[in-house]
């Protein structure tokens, strides 16, 4: 007797049959995979000590994966928009780049909070197949960003004071003003 086992996480259905991938959505999928690999490489370093002979290899692997994810994020940023549903994906990509490259806990915390303060910038309002699929991609990516924030290097940075972030702060603008 066969046992039915779902292979898709709850809340994330398969792509709608009328969904047509754009260059941004294709690259965004690549970025998601690279970000996942980066998080795993950083988790490998959590318990790494000088006495561990594998530590050197883990550090080199984490550096390679970090370079790969930042390269794919730069490639995503350089890809032109084909449709308006691509904009939240590009914004999330830019946000992920800012998070990975953040130098201080404050910069990480403030950048991470952007999705809470400006939720409309990071989702589609369209209820069609493309908008729904984009929102599913956004939800999956936000789970990766949450996992990134839970890494020991960033963990103390996630509590945010709303008064610290303003829409006019040039350090946290996602795109130049038009």
């Amino acid at each position: 007797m066969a046992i039915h086992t779902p292979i898709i996480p709850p809340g994330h259905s398969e792509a709608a049959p009328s969904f047509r991938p754009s260059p941004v959505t294709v690259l965004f999928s690549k970025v998601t995979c690279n970000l996942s690999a980066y998080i795993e490489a950083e988790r490998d370093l959590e318990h790494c000590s000088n006495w561990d002979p594998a530590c050197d290899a883990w550090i080199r692997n984490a550096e390679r994966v970090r370079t790969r994810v930042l390269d794919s994020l730069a490639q995503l940023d350089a890809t032109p928009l084909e449709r308006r549903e691509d904009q939240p994906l590009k914004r999330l990509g830019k946000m992920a780049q800012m998070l990975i490259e953040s130098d201080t806990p404050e910069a990480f915390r403030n950048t991470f909070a952007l999705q809470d303060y400006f939720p409309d910038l990071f989702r589609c309002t369209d209820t069609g197949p493309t908008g729904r699929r984009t929102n599913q991609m956004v939800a999956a990516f936000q789970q990766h960003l949450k996992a990134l924030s839970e890494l020991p290097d960033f963990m103390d940075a996630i509590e945010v004071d709303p008064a610290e972030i303003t829409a006019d702060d040039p350090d946290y603008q996602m795109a130049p003003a038009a």
Side-chain angles (χ1 to χ4, degrees):
M1 178 186 286
I3 297 174
H4 180 286
T5 305
I7 59 172
I8 298 172
H12 293 81
S13 66
E14 293 186 28
S18 60
F19 176 76
R20 183 185 50 82
S22 68
V24 170
T25 57
V26 171
L27 280 171
F28 191 78
S29 296
K30 178 181 173 185
V31 165
T32 303
C33 291
N34 288 338
L35 182 60
S36 178
Y38 173 69
I39 292 167
E40 287 305 313
E42 289 294 321
R43 285 180 180 160
D44 285 344
L45 294 177
E46 284 181 18
H47 305 291
C48 184
S49 297
N50 293 346
W51 56 267
D52 192 346
C55 185
D56 190 42
W58 288 337
I59 291 172
R60 282 195 309 271
N61 180 48
E63 290 171 352
R64 269 193 312 274
V65 173
R66 183 178 195 271
T67 301
R68 190 178 326 137
V69 74
L70 289 174
D71 288 346
S72 63
L73 285 165
Q75 189 178 8
L76 176 67
D77 193 39
T79 304
L81 293 173
E82 187 175 288
R83 56 186 177 216
R84 67 178 181 192
E85 289 87 358
D86 291 342
Q87 189 63 47
L89 302 178
K90 287 190 71 159
R91 286 184 182 130
L92 277 172
K94 187 64 175 171
M95 183 175 152
Q97 180 181 7
M98 292 168 67
L99 288 171
I100 292 170
E101 293 177 337
S102 63
D103 293 337
T104 64
E106 293 80 20
F108 184 91
R109 180 187 64 220
N110 292 343
T111 303
F112 187 77
L114 288 173
Q115 59 189 335
D116 293 330
Y117 290 113
F118 307 105
D120 293 340
L121 294 177
F122 298 99
R123 66 178 175 84
C124 287
T125 55
D126 181 28
T127 58
T130 304
R132 283 193 311 267
R133 179 63 179 150
T134 300
N135 283 335
Q136 289 172 345
M137 294 172 77
V138 164
F141 198 78
Q142 286 175 329
Q143 289 177 354
H144 282 64
L145 293 179
K146 179 155 177 34
L148 180 70
S149 73
E150 292 169 353
L151 292 172
D153 291 345
F154 305 119
M155 213 164 171
D156 59 346
I158 59 173
E159 291 186 23
V160 180
D161 179 14
E164 292 184 23
I165 299 176
T166 64
D168 298 329
D169 191 345
D171 292 334
Y172 303 105
Q173 287 185 351
M174 301 302 288

